[in-house]
Structures are given as structure tokens and as C-alpha cells.
């Protein structure tokens, strides 16, 4: 179909890759746990929009630039690492502030708008050059050598990958929000959990900053 091959294997591999935990899934779970499934869904849609940018970039050959140019890769990598560090540190600082509120007897916390959460998901995904390299290295394996329009085949496969990813991300958002409602967690545990998630984002940022193209 459209010059693709081994489509079932591609779908299975894509689902397994989407299930693997990373900054995107952590962000979705965090927003669902703190603001409900709609917030998690907003983050998921942001991730999906970022994935579409990578798909179109791969189809246009821009991902090849990241794969071959050390300078371009480093610039995008450092921008992505800086953003992940910013998100992680912001969470750590906001949670520390919330701890002071708990001691003072107030637990209200400002909520992010769905638009801001969408942008968090978008930037977390689109500023990760590893995703661009993934689409350049993984997806072409499932495009037939004699395909008449390889960019179109890549877009087609990328959309399938993103569609399945969105299903998984929304399942993650809804299930996390459902579990949060059913499990009684006291404020102190919630604060420490959020701090831990903040540290995870910091670690993701450091790992991305120190990574190479391989």
C-alpha cells in the first residue's frame, strides 16, 4: 500500500516503541495526575503535533541534515535538553513552594491552561533530535525499494505510527487520571512524587545533552 512493506510488523514495532517510557509519557501522566485526563489529553495532542513535525521533516529530508550535520544536531539537542531541564526545575521549584503552602495550611496550586500544556507536549517532542533520527532510520525500512513516491510512503507510515501513538497516549492519560481518583494519596506523598518526576525530567535533559547521534 503506497509503496510500503511489512505493514503489520511496522504497526507492532511502532506500538512497542510508543509504550516505552520517556519524557512524553511522563509529561502526560504528570498532567493527568495533577489536572485530570483533559490536561493529559492536551499534553498527548501536543506530543502528536510534535511527531507530525518530525514526520514532515523526515519526508522533506530535514532529518537527514540532523543525521549528517554535527552542528545542526548539537544545536537542536542542546535546545531540547535545555527545555527538559527547564520543565524539571520548574516542577521542583513549584513543588517546593507547595510544601510551604501545606505548612501554612493552604494547598491550592495554580493550574496550567490546556494551551500551555499542549505546548509543553509539543516542545518536549519536537526539540528531541533523537525522534527525528528515529524517523529517518526506522521508518524507511518499511518502504519498498521500488516505491514510486518514497516521501509519500514515509508520511503514510508516520501517520500510522502517530495515530497508534495517540491512542496509547490517551489511554495513558485516562488511566492515570482514573487511578489518581481511585487511590487516596496524601499531600506529602503527592509532593514527593512530583519532585521525583521533576528530577526525572532533569535526568532526561542531562542524558539528552550528553548523547550523540548513535
Amino acid at each position: 500500500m503506497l509503496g510500503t512493506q511489512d505493514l503489520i510488523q511496522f504497526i507492532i514495532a511502532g506500538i512497542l516503541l510508543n509504550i516505552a517510557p520517556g519524557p512524553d509519557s511522563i509529561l502526560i501522566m504528570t498532567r493527568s495526575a495533577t489536572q485530570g485526563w483533559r490536561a493529559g489529553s492536551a499534553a498527548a495532542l501536543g506530543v502528536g503535533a510534535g511527531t507530525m513535525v518530525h514526520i514532515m521533516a523526515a519526508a522533506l529530508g530535514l532529518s537527514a541534515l540532523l543525521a549528517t550535520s554535527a552542528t545542526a544536531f548539537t544545536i537542536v539537542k542542546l535546545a531540547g535538553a535545555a527545555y527538559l531541564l527547564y520543565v524539571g526545575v520548574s516542577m521542583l521549584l513549584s513543588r517546593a513552594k507547595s510544601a510551604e503552602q501545606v505548612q501554612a495550611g493552604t494547598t491550592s496550586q495554580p493550574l496550567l491552561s490546556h494551551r500551555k500544556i499542549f505546548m509543553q507536549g509539543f516542545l518536549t517532542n519536537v526539540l528531541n533530535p533523537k525522534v527525528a533520527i528515529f524517523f529517518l532510520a526506522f521508518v524507511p525500512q518499511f518502504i519498498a525499494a521500488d516505491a514510486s513516491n518514497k516521501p509519500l510512503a514515509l508520511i503514510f507510515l508516520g501517520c500510522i505510527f502517530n495515530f497508534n501513538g495517540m491512542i496509547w497516549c490517551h489511554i495513558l492519560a485516562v488511566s492515570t487520571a482514573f487511578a489518581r481518583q481511585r487511590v487516596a494519596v496524601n499531600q506529602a506523598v503527592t509532593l514527593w512524587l512530583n519532585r521525583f518526576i521533576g528530577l526525572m525530567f532533569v535526568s532526561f535533559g542531562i542524558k539528552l545533552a550528553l548523547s550523540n547521534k548513535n
Side-chain angles (χ1 to χ4, degrees):
M1 182 181 296
L2 294 179
T4 63
Q5 59 185 5
D6 302 324
L7 189 58
I8 299 300
Q9 290 91 326
F10 172 79
I11 292 173
I12 294 173
I15 291 173
L16 293 175
L17 288 167
N18 276 307
I19 292 175
D24 294 341
S25 56
I26 295 296
L27 178 64
I28 292 168
M29 293 175 68
T30 301
R31 293 309 170 202
S32 290
T34 56
Q35 293 186 222
W37 70 267
R38 289 181 178 84
S41 178
L45 291 173
V47 169
T51 301
M52 287 304 303
V53 171
H54 287 296
I55 293 169
M56 297 307 298
L60 295 174
L62 297 180
S63 293
L65 176 64
L66 290 177
T68 58
S69 171
T71 300
F73 181 87
T74 300
I75 290 173
V76 176
K77 178 187 71 173
L78 293 178
Y83 182 72
L84 289 175
L85 288 170
Y86 166 76
V87 172
V89 171
S90 297
M91 291 180 68
L92 288 171
L93 292 178
S94 64
R95 298 294 82 79
K97 182 178 180 181
S98 296
E100 295 174 359
Q101 293 174 341
V102 171
Q103 293 176 356
T106 59
T107 58
S108 60
Q109 299 181 23
L111 300 179
L112 291 178
S113 68
H114 289 170
R115 180 177 179 276
K116 289 183 177 179
I117 294 173
F118 175 91
M119 287 306 301
Q120 278 190 337
F122 177 78
L123 292 174
T124 298
N125 184 276
V126 82
L127 290 177
N128 188 348
K130 292 285 188 176
V131 180
I133 302 294
F134 159 78
F135 276 105
L136 187 67
F138 176 73
V139 178
Q141 298 180 42
F142 299 90
I143 298 176
D146 59 350
S148 59
N149 193 328
K150 289 182 173 62
L152 180 61
L154 192 149
I155 293 173
F156 174 70
L157 290 173
C159 288
I160 291 176
F161 176 87
N162 200 19
F163 177 79
N164 292 333
M166 286 297 92
I167 293 176
W168 166 250
C169 287
H170 282 84
I171 290 175
L172 199 61
V174 173
S175 61
T176 300
F178 180 82
R180 181 64 181 86
Q181 291 177 348
R182 293 296 181 271
V183 178
V185 181
N186 63 44
Q187 186 70 17
V189 173
T190 301
L191 293 175
W192 281 107
L193 178 60
N194 286 326
R195 287 171 180 164
F196 173 72
I197 293 171
L199 286 173
M200 288 189 67
F201 268 95
V202 170
S203 69
F204 284 136
I206 294 174
K207 182 179 179 181
L208 179 59
L210 297 178
S211 67
N212 53 40
K213 289 185 290 185
N214 299 321

